[in-house]
DNA sequence: TTGAAAGCGATACCAT
DNA sequence: ATGGTATCGCTTTCAA
């Protein structure tokens, strides 16, 4: 910030008052449309304010009336359509309450998430988001403010979290595939951590219930390309697989593309069922079947719980903080 | 957390000071890692703060040190992938500067935009966004703070704006179609306002340059379905059209889907070229050709200009505030 | 190393 | 209808 000789010092309410020849509180009255003020005085003040380019300090104002609520929304990647949908829902829910939302995109990086956590606690009244950091770290930087975790179980009483329960949906998906004659079903799981995901475990128990194997699993990175690669690997290792479940829709869409590339017809040669139920799934060919989540509800629920925590009134219990997956059949299975 | 009768008054620095048996400024020193403080005192203060669940007020802090910068990002619809990409780019550029971004989704509504404008001016240090309100309205509520308009020309010196120049790109698109033998090219324009868009005008001059008509135009609403409907209408009115340009990629994707639905092969029976060059275009079948915009640059440029305006240093002129469209051929044309 | 006092910019309460 | 004064919670001189 190269300062030109005359630093344009902030115009305060005091300057306006002096310029209009009144006191500061009169200025305040004029600006905030209070009743007890003479019409002509008010106009004079307004004119002065306009001319000076006066703008009230949000800090000073916020200090004196604790009304505006700002929440922080933390997501790993806004360009990931799942988070876009959740974010849009959260923004809408917040707007309905007159809240402001500061969005933090952590770029899928643990470091960025940590540095975000480090500053966020002093910038907002509550935090809603999808974190990958350990609970201790989250806790440490958000002391004193409500935190609502999305799509993640928590173990400390400190947090609330919106749980994603896709168990029934995945069971329905497997049942559907089995009914359609599939006996060898594979899964494109997430590829982040070493251990299989919860979604895989739902798949495994569903498969077991139908007496079929659940050992055809390959990890996929969270992208369309990742999904394509993973399908290639899966079919290479298990050529007799005729249907796949995927960790999410993005991976499923990659699988769809890879199937087309290798001349397989979906769903005839290969059935594909995703997870999330994104809007995006209606645009691809064939339209994607998926264990669908109500992302609007997910975002709205998170903001709602934040509101309850903030006011201390009647926060929802774990049983109410659930979004269930539901099998939505389109054409890919 | 049911509210007990006693409202939990805010824990202030004063409470911590008393609890630790020191003065407020010592607490401040401990919390802000200042040098001049005894190690044991510091620890004692930190412990007290932790125990009391103390959290500094962002308002009080902001009042005293004017350091944190917050910008407002206004977009009509976060779920529209174009705005998602711009928003993601803006968030990234802001994060690189350590800025905070409050995102306002106006739900494609002029009323919401107005009510957003009404509050935003007192909440942020600068505004970046895609507005549809008249300049006067925008000006009125953002007095004193920098405003950067995205994808919109401005007529008042009051604003900066990032201009989208797709002229060359559209010319290239038309040239490409003509070279491929197309003589009857239609356009699915936006359907919002009565008059045709700037993008249509680029198309018209390009068509004229090649001696072909540009009268096959239909307005489409900003959605995939809208694009499909519009293509139906266009082909109904002008059955000899063999290629279409669209106002944007969303509409183009709808056209692709409609073409498939009506048994037309793209690009053989109908060539389609969109506008925006969204990531999304790579996922549909066939991959969408488009006059591509660098959305990352768009968002980054807007934030960059806001930064320059904020510091008063070297703001970019209109000639530098341009993002040009470039023909990106994939398979749909 | 620590504390007292003076703001930062606005609003609210109480006089007038 | 208008102005004086206290106050919001914190940081920053300046003394001690």
């Amino acid at each position: 910030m190269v300062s030109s000789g005359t630093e344009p010092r902030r115009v305060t309410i005091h300057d306006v008052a002096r310029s209009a020849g009144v006191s500061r509180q009169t200025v305040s009255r004029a600006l905030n449309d209070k009743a007890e003020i003479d019409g002509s005085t008010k106009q004079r003040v307004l004119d002065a304010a306009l001319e000076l380019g006066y703008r009230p300090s949000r800090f000073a104002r916020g200090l004196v009336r604790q009304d505006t609520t700002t929440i922080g929304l933390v997501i790993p990647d806004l360009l990931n359509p799942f988070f876009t949908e959740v974010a849009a829902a959260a923004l809408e829910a917040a707007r309905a309450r007159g809240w402001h939302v500061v969005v933090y995109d952590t770029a899928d990086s643990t470091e960025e998430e940590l540095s975000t956590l480090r500053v966020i606690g002093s910038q907002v009244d509550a935090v809603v988001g999808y974190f990958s950091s350990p609970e201790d770290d989250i806790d440490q930087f958000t002391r004193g403010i409500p935190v609502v975790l999305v799509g993640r179980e928590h173990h400390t009483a400190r947090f609330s979290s919106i749980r994603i329960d896709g168990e029934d949906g995945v069971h329905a998906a497997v049942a559907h595939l089995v009914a359609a004659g599939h006996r060898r079903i594979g899964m494109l799981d997430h590829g982040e951590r070493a251990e299989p995901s919860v979604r895989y475990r739902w798949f495994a128990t569903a498969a077991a219930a139908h007496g079929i194997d659940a050992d055809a699993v390959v990890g996929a990175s969270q992208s369309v390309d990742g999904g394509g690669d993973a399908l290639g690997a899966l079919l290479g290792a298990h050529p007799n697989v005729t249907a796949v479940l995927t960790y999410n829709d993005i991976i499923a869409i990659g699988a769809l593309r890879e199937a087309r590339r290798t001349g397989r017809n979906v769903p005839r040669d290969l059935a594909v069922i995703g997870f999330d139920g994104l809007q995006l799934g209606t645009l691809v060919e064939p339209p994607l079947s998926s264990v669908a989540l109500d992302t609007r509800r997910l975002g709205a629920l998170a903001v709602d719980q934040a509101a309850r925590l903030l006011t201390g009134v009647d926060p929802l219990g774990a049983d109410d903080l659930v979004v269930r997956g539901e099998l939505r059949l389109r054409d890919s299975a």
Side-chain angles (χ1 to χ4, degrees), chain A:
Chain A
M1 194 195 296
V2 181
S3 69
S4 50
T6 54
E7 186 61 29
R9 197 182 50 75
R10 199 174 208 309
V11 179
T12 76
I13 198 171
H14 190 86
D15 303 317
V16 179
R18 209 177 29 198
S19 163
V22 297
S23 71
R24 300 191 313 228
Q25 22 308 331
T26 301
V27 175
S28 179
R29 283 184 192 106
L31 263 40
N32 294 301
D33 263 333
K34 298 283 181 184
E36 314 106 332
I37 187 174
D38 186 86
S40 67
T41 315
K42 179 169 177 175
Q43 194 52 53
R44 192 154 36 91
V45 171
L46 259 27
D47 289 346
L50 205 62
E51 173 161 11
L52 268 46
Y54 167 74
R55 202 170 56 90
S57 149
R58 68 169 178 281
F59 295 115
R61 186 173 267 180
L63 193 56
V64 90
R65 31 178 233 215
Q66 312 270 47
D67 48 3
T68 68
T69 299
T70 301
I71 65 170
L73 176 65
V74 180
I75 50 175
D77 177 16
L78 187 60
L79 289 177
N80 178 325
F82 174 72
F83 294 116
T84 313
E85 291 191 14
V86 174
L91 289 181
E92 186 187 338
R95 197 188 50 204
R97 296 184 154 74
W99 288 4
H100 300 270
V101 180
V102 184
V103 178
Y104 300 88
D105 182 327
T106 59
D108 261 324
S109 137
T110 352
E111 289 164 47
E112 287 295 349
E113 183 177 317
L114 209 63
S115 72
T116 296
L117 271 168
R118 219 179 289 277
V119 310
I120 199 176
S122 60
Q123 290 292 331
V124 300
D125 302 305
V127 175
V128 164
Y130 191 98
F131 291 94
S132 54
S133 302
E135 292 187 21
D136 280 351
D137 288 348
I138 304 176
D139 179 39
Q140 178 184 355
F141 294 113
T142 56
R143 283 281 155 66
I145 70 181
V147 176
V148 180
L149 271 20
V150 172
R152 163 170 176 172
E153 315 268 334
H154 67 279
H155 304 96
T156 340
R158 170 75 178 78
F159 307 111
S160 276
S161 59
I162 316 291
R163 191 163 57 89
I164 291 174
D165 182 353
E167 179 147 27
D168 292 350
V170 169
H171 275 244
V174 171
H176 172 77
L177 291 173
V178 168
H182 296 279
R183 286 291 166 274
R184 194 67 176 120
I185 303 175
M187 172 149 186
L188 307 181
D189 199 7
H190 74 172
E192 318 263 299
R193 290 171 291 284
E195 79 269 33
S197 67
V198 190
R199 299 181 189 182
Y200 168 77
R201 267 185 263 129
W202 293 330
F203 164 57
T205 61
H210 286 277
I212 61 177
D213 289 333
D215 61 327
V217 199
V218 162
S221 61
Q222 302 280 345
S223 67
V224 174
D225 289 342
D229 295 347
L231 180 66
L234 181 78
L235 292 176
H238 307 277
N240 53 342
V241 161
T242 59
V244 292
L245 256 47
T246 66
Y247 180 77
N248 65 23
D249 282 358
I250 301 297
I251 292 173
I253 287 170
L256 246 36
R257 196 167 65 174
E258 173 70 6
R260 186 168 51 229
R261 203 183 62 76
T262 55
R264 281 170 236 260
N265 178 288
V266 174
R268 206 191 51 221
D269 304 331
L270 183 76
V272 177
I273 298 184
F275 195 104
D276 281 348
L278 302 179
Q279 300 274 341
L280 184 54
T282 63
L283 302 184
V284 294
E285 182 60 26
L288 183 65
S289 297
S290 185
V291 174
L293 260 25
D294 187 341
T295 50
R296 273 178 69 102
R297 178 147 182 280
L298 195 55
L301 205 54
V303 171
D304 183 42
Q305 177 72 348
R308 291 161 181 267
L309 257 18
L310 232 26
T311 56
V313 173
D314 216 14
L316 264 23
D319 290 348
D320 296 317
L321 297 173
V322 181
V323 173
R324 294 202 155 70
E326 190 171 289
L327 181 61
R328 180 139 69 220
L329 257 16
R330 292 203 267 246
D331 299 345
S332 71

